DNA sequence: GCTATCTCAACTAC
DNA sequence: CGTAGTTGAGATAG
């Protein structure tokens, strides 16, 4: 289980949040136990109010994307496409001799390529207005085999955004489902206790474990996928793409197998070989498109660039034991035919990795395309015959994601032996060392600043709000507690400490609360937990990356500086001290403050700018109650693989809420 | 079209 | 902490 950021779409965030979230204006709510809902959450085809809530969340993400990624070329998840047109056809049927009739229509190349990525509902194709709330029928995979080539940079960027958005929606729905399930299970359990004497039977309407009688939670990964499938939000459904999937980069990281299906990287939910079945192929032969290498077969060999992949079949049900000979059929035959026609396959590696969200501890990494160079029948360790395929990685691709993951793991382990203070920018002030890494030149600049762990506010900030308010919880905070109410009746974080969705302002528990430090409503205040590294990058001078895998929704660090009042900031700006102005991050009205990072700073100000950032700015209060002076907390917008550069979009932050911008 | 079968998931309980 | 059992959903095949 874990989470994602569903940023709020309110443009005047602080102002709009004030009436409902300020402690003093909060209507008094009964502090009694929540009344459990009698109706099941997901077990009906009729949309319950909970489901509707979920859909509105989902809509909210869409709006965010319209907002954040430019209004012009955004596709509405409900089907209202408005897409860019590439100049030339990037779609080529493959292999030519297999399907020569499938030449793309030269008159509509753009629709063709984009429809391969973004499903277009039939009603829209007819020119009718798409009905936003009616789920479409599930769309099956199609048979046309294509390769996407020569995308213009503009299309590539657009399709990358489509993938990013799809993944954000997936992760959001996944987390919302698990949060809802968590609540439902808790409330039903409470109801069961309350109704123990009354012997109210709940059988038949709730998933209950047959053997133990305990409540089962629905799986968020599956639920998110099926919600999206019902609405035609899976990508690459109406073309079988051979080779790279547009918008997916080598090294992209997935935390659930189901997510691979949603983006179209691999269409099989469990099977390792994905292929166009013989019955759908123009030549009557199956063609493989992707494989997952998870080490599930005892005869696999994996050296990274070269893989010996075992075909499927012959295993005992629900076990990995070979109990019979494999046959050259379905996926096995597809790999053999792909070799024959020289069709490359995508390779996704599944590996156990620290920081995985799944109970299995696995992550999935896209490692690029491979060519099948050999195929033979062999006797495996079990004594039964297996098919083996030798795969070579095609040259000229970005470094393998799985290799980067392993390297990062090695660096982390070797770090333990090193003196942690040697190049710790933070001078042991953070929970973990912040490394400085520069193999480009001798610049050690970041070491020259005084390290500021958290933002310094003027003293009056702590006094102005008058009587401090907090919760009275003796143990961890629970539903309905005062601090939950301040956050609109729910906690902003999951039990695992991930942001559920972006909000205008988050109220964490603070010194005026009686709850203990392990309370679920204390996350960002606990500071850094990932091993960040400030490194020299040729393109952007300095950058920040992490040695650890960062899950979407995780807190990364504060954007720390010294807060100046508007008067102070203006004074400094008017005096025009060279170099100073560029290092002031101003938070304009309604916040009306500026952050000075010219003399004291933390790791955050080395993050580079991107219009497609992977880090999100979230306002958080924890050590005082002054709404005008929130902490700027940075959370991961997506799953960030180790060693990938972190980036922020200061411009978007400026638009969506706090008017965060750099003056220069 | 329907159903049965297959599957390098994911979770929970032991 | 491993593993065995359970549930699960999509695609394929008949």
């Amino acid at each position: 289980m874990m989470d994602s950021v569903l940023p709020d779409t309110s443009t005047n965030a602080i102002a709009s949040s004030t009436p409902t979230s300020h402690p003093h204006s909060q209507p008094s709510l009964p502090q009694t136990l929540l009344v459990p809902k009698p109706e099941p959450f997901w077990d009906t085809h009729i949309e319950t109010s909970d489901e509707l809530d979920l859909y509105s969340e989902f809509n909210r993400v869409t709006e965010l994307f319209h907002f954040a990624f430019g209004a012009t070329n955004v596709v509405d998840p409900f089907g209202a496409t408005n897409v860019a047109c590439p100049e030339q056809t990037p779609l080529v049927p493959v292999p030519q001799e297999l399907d020569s009739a499938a030449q793309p229509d030269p008159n509509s190349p753009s629709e063709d390529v984009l429809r391969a990525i973004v499903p277009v509902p039939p009603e829209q194709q007819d020119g009718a207005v798409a009905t936003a709330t009616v789920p479409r029928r599930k769309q099956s995979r199609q048979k046309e085999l294509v390769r996407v080539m020569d995308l213009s940079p503009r299309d590539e960027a657009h399709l990358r955004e489509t993938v990013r958005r799809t993944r954000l929606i997936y992760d959001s729905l996944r987390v919302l489902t698990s949060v809802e399930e968590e609540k439902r299970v808790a409330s039903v359990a409470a109801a069961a206790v309350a109704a123990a004497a009354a012997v109210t039977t709940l059988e038949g309407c709730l998933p209950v474990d047959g053997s133990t009688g305990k409540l089962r939670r629905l799986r968020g990964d599956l639920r998110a996928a099926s919600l999206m499938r019902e609405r035609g939000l899976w990508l690459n459904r109406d073309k079988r793409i051979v080779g790279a999937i547009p918008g997916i980069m080598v090294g992209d990281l997935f935390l659930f197998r189901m997510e691979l299906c949603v983006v179209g990287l691999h269409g099989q939910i469990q099977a390792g070989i994905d292929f166009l079945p013989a019955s759908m192929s123009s030549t009557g032969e199956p063609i493989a498109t992707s494989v997952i290498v998870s080490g599930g077969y005892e005869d696999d060999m994996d050296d990274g660039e070269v893989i010996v992949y075992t075909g499927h079949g012959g295993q005992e049900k629900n076990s990995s034991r070979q109990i019979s000979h494999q046959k050259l059929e379905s996926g096995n035959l597809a790999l053999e035919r792909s070799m024959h026609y020289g069709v490359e396959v995508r390779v996704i590696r599944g590996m156990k990795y620290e920081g995985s969200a799944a109970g299995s501890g696995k992550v999935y990494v896209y490692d690029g395309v491979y060519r099948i160079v050999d195929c033979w029948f062999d006797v495996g360790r079990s004594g039964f015959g297996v098919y083996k395929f030798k795969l070579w990685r095609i040259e000229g691709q970005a470094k393998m994601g799985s290799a980067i993951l392993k390297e990062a793991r090695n660096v982390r382990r070797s770090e333990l032996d090193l003196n942690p203070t040697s190049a710790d920018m933070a001078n042991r002030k953070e929970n973990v060392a912040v490394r400085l890494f520069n193999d480009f030149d001798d610049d050690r600049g970041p070491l020259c600043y005084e390290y500021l762990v958290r933002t310094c506010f003027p003293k009056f900030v702590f006094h102005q709000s008058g009587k401090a308010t907090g919760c009275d919880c003796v143990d961890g905070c629970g539903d309905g507690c005062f601090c939950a109410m301040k956050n609109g009746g729910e906690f902003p974080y999951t039990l695992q400490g991930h942001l559920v969705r972006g909000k205008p302002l988050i109220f964490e528990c603070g010194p005026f609360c009686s709850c203990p430090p392990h309370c679920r409503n204390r996350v960002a205040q606990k500071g850094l937990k990932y091993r960040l590294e400030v490194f020299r990058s040729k393109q952007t001078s300095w950058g920040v990356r992490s040695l650890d895998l960062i899950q979407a929704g995780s807190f990364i660090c504060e954007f720390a500086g010294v807060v100046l009042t508007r008067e102070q900031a203006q004074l400094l700006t008017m005096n025009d001290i060279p170099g100073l102005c560029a290092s002031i991050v101003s938070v304009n009205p309604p916040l009306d403050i500026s952050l000075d990072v010219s003399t004291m700073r933390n790791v955050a100000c080395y993050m580079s700018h991107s219009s497609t950032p992977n880090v999100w700015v979230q306002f958080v209060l924890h050590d005082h109650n002054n709404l005008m002076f929130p902490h700027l907390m940075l959370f991961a917008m997506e799953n960030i693989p180790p060693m990938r550069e972190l980036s922020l979009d200061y411009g978007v932050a400026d638009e969506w809420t706090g008017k965060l911008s750099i003056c220069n």
Side-chain angles (χ1 to χ4, degrees):
Chain A
M1 251 185 4
M2 51 113 268
D3 335 300
S4 107
V5 184
L6 281 206
D8 192 276
T9 53
S10 164
T11 52
N12 195 355
I14 298 301
S16 65
S17 75
T18 304
T20 52
S21 54
H22 191 279
H24 298 297
S25 60
Q26 189 68 39
S28 61
L29 287 147
Q31 295 285 323
T32 54
L33 281 175
L34 289 176
V35 181
K37 276 184 191 160
E39 66 179 8
F41 178 37
W42 292 119
D43 299 345
T44 168
H45 293 295
I46 302 162
E47 292 189 355
T48 65
S49 60
D50 287 320
E51 269 189 277
L52 288 170
D53 284 347
L54 200 58
Y55 297 152
S56 66
E57 279 304 329
F58 177 74
N59 205 10
R60 203 166 158 171
V61 184
T62 318
E63 286 171 14
L64 166 86
F65 269 94
H66 271 284
F67 185 76
F69 301 122
T72 48
N73 292 328
V74 174
V75 182
D76 176 19
F78 291 113
T81 46
N82 173 21
V83 293
C85 297
E87 284 83 26
Q88 55 187 354
T89 170
L91 273 189
V92 184
V94 286
Q96 292 288 344
E97 61 269 39
L98 274 182
D99 201 355
S100 54
Q103 288 291 347
D105 180 358
N107 296 325
S108 59
S110 60
E111 288 215 0
D112 210 26
V113 63
L114 291 160
R115 197 172 299 157
I117 310 301
V118 182
V120 179
E123 61 266 36
Q124 170 123 13
Q125 290 171 31
D126 298 335
V129 180
T131 45
T133 52
V134 179
R136 282 192 296 277
R137 266 196 57 231
K138 290 181 183 178
Q139 179 197 8
S140 293
R141 302 179 84 190
Q142 299 299 304
K143 64 176 184 180
E144 193 181 349
L145 203 58
V146 298
R147 183 183 280 121
V148 182
M149 298 174 74
D150 301 326
L151 281 179
S152 71
R154 189 179 160 206
D155 288 331
E156 210 163 292
H158 168 71
L159 295 170
R160 176 82 181 152
E161 277 316 302
T162 304
V163 169
R164 267 166 55 88
R165 190 189 58 248
T166 300
R167 298 189 61 187
L168 190 85
I169 293 171
Y170 176 80
D171 214 41
S172 304
L173 289 174
R174 209 192 89 246
V175 168
L176 283 163
T177 298
S178 38
V179 168
E180 289 303 316
E181 284 293 287
E182 184 190 293
K183 276 190 209 159
R184 196 208 69 190
V185 169
S187 69
V188 172
V193 169
V199 201
T200 318
T201 179
L202 294 164
E203 282 171 42
C205 64
L206 292 165
V208 171
D209 191 293
S211 56
T212 63
K214 281 196 175 177
L215 269 171
R216 259 199 342 261
R217 285 190 301 198
L218 291 170
R219 281 171 54 176
D221 58 327
L222 302 184
R223 187 71 209 178
S226 81
L227 280 172
M228 290 177 75
R229 194 161 87 111
E230 282 168 12
R231 281 159 184 74
L233 288 174
W234 287 24
L235 304 182
N236 302 308
R237 296 281 292 172
D238 63 352
K239 298 274 193 297
R240 300 288 186 123
I241 297 183
V242 160
I245 300 285
I248 295 180
M249 288 162 37
V250 170
D252 280 355
L253 194 77
F254 302 83
L255 298 179
F256 289 87
R257 178 76 185 256
M258 200 40 134
E259 201 177 356
L260 302 173
C261 298
V262 174
V263 299
L265 201 53
H266 187 81
Q268 301 282 347
I269 187 170
Q270 286 191 6
I273 306 168
D274 194 19
F275 59 100
L276 178 72
S279 60
M280 295 174 89
S281 165
S282 56
T283 60
E285 299 164 300
I287 297 291
T289 53
S290 58
V291 296
I292 295 189
V293 186
S294 283
Y297 277 80
E298 57 197 10
D299 298 311
D300 279 1
M301 292 274 291
D302 186 3
D303 286 332
E305 300 286 328
V306 183
I307 305 166
V308 176
Y309 190 83
T310 313
H312 62 196
Q315 289 188 324
E316 193 180 39
K317 201 168 173 64
N318 293 328
S319 98
S320 58
R321 212 159 55 102
Q322 290 292 138
I323 53 164
S324 63
H325 299 306
Q326 293 185 347
K327 293 174 189 162
L328 192 60
E329 58 186 21
S330 63
N332 298 348
L333 182 58
L335 281 171
E336 194 275 332
R337 289 288 86 193
S338 280
M339 180 183 78
H340 178 259
Y341 286 110
V343 174
E344 73 274 26
V345 291
R346 295 182 291 273
V347 168
I348 301 106
R349 281 193 171 77
M351 53 198 286
K352 293 237 181 207
Y353 204 78
E354 307 74 38
S356 160
S360 59
K362 273 179 151 183
V363 300
Y364 297 89
V365 199
Y366 174 54
D367 269 346
V369 286
Y370 285 61
R371 203 173 294 291
I372 306 160
V373 295
D374 200 4
C375 161
W376 67 97
F377 189 68
D378 202 357
V379 177
R381 292 184 195 183
S382 59
F384 291 99
V386 292
Y387 278 90
K388 289 189 174 177
F389 302 90
K390 184 177 273 186
L391 276 63
W392 280 4
R393 190 161 193 257
I394 294 175
E395 289 179 6
Q397 303 183 80
K399 191 170 178 177
M400 278 196 300
S402 59
I404 296 173
L405 284 175
K406 287 176 190 164
E407 278 177 23
R409 178 189 279 155
N410 290 336
V411 172
R412 289 197 304 267
R413 288 180 178 164
S414 65
E415 286 256 298
L416 299 174
D417 306 330
L418 299 175
N419 178 1
T421 57
S422 60
D424 181 9
M425 256 180 65
N427 257 324
R428 290 175 172 255
K429 289 179 181 173
E430 296 276 18
N431 304 328
V432 291
V434 179
R435 291 217 320 176
L436 177 71
F437 182 86
N438 185 355
D439 61 353
F440 180 64
D441 57 27
D442 292 331
D443 193 347
R444 314 277 286 173
L447 294 176
C448 302
Y449 295 88
E450 186 174 341
Y451 195 89
L452 193 62
V453 176
R454 54 189 52 175
T455 291
C456 276
F457 293 102
K459 279 184 180 165
F460 73 84
V461 170
F462 294 90
H463 301 309
Q464 199 167 333
S465 54
K467 190 185 158 209
T469 51
C471 64
D472 309 320
C473 304
V474 275
D475 201 2
C477 286
D479 278 334
C481 99
F482 186 72
C483 291
M485 292 307 159
K486 281 205 281 187
N487 286 294
E490 61 186 9
F491 290 109
Y493 307 114
T494 64
L495 286 173
Q496 289 74 32
H498 298 114
L499 191 61
V500 176
R501 63 176 82 91
K503 293 193 163 221
L505 182 61
I506 283 175
F507 296 85
E508 291 198 2
C509 290
F512 21 81
C513 296
S514 55
C515 59
H518 69 258
C519 165
R520 68 180 289 185
N521 196 29
R522 299 172 185 264
V523 173
Q525 60 185 268
K526 289 184 179 166
L528 207 59
K529 65 180 177 204
Y530 297 112
R531 283 163 275 203
L532 300 185
E533 187 170 86
V534 174
F535 72 105
R536 188 71 164 185
S537 124
K538 285 169 197 172
Q539 294 83 14
T540 57
S541 66
W542 294 103
V544 181
R545 61 193 180 192
S546 168
L547 293 177
D548 299 298
L549 157 60
I550 304 179
Q551 278 180 36
S554 295
F555 170 68
I556 299 174
C557 66
E558 179 163 7
F559 199 116
V562 177
V563 168
L564 306 177
T565 60
R566 178 155 59 170
E567 293 72 23
Q568 286 172 313
Q570 278 177 347
L571 198 64
L572 288 170
T573 310
M574 282 189 299
N575 287 347
D576 196 23
I577 300 166
L580 176 65
C581 194
S583 56
I584 293 178
V585 177
S586 69
V587 183
N588 293 326
L591 296 181
D592 206 16
I593 55 170
S594 300
L595 265 190
D596 177 8
V597 294
S598 62
T599 54
M600 298 196 287
R601 53 177 65 168
N602 75 342
V603 58
C605 73
Y606 294 100
M607 281 187 201
S608 57
H609 165 83
S610 169
S611 56
T612 56
N614 50 22
V615 172
W616 171 261
V617 181
Q618 169 67 57
F619 296 153
V620 176
L621 286 183
H622 65 83
D623 51 358
H624 63 72
N625 276 321
N626 195 317
L627 299 172
M628 301 302 281
F629 293 89
H631 291 269
L632 273 53
M633 299 301 197
L634 308 186
F635 289 80
M637 280 185 86
E638 55 190 41
N639 302 321
I640 305 174
M643 309 311 278
R644 186 173 283 187
E645 183 160 7
L646 307 183
S647 60
L648 269 173
D649 189 341
Y650 297 89
V652 167
D654 178 59
E655 278 191 50
W656 85 266
T657 167
K659 315 288 181 192
L660 179 70
S661 62
I662 296 178
C663 27
N664 48 22

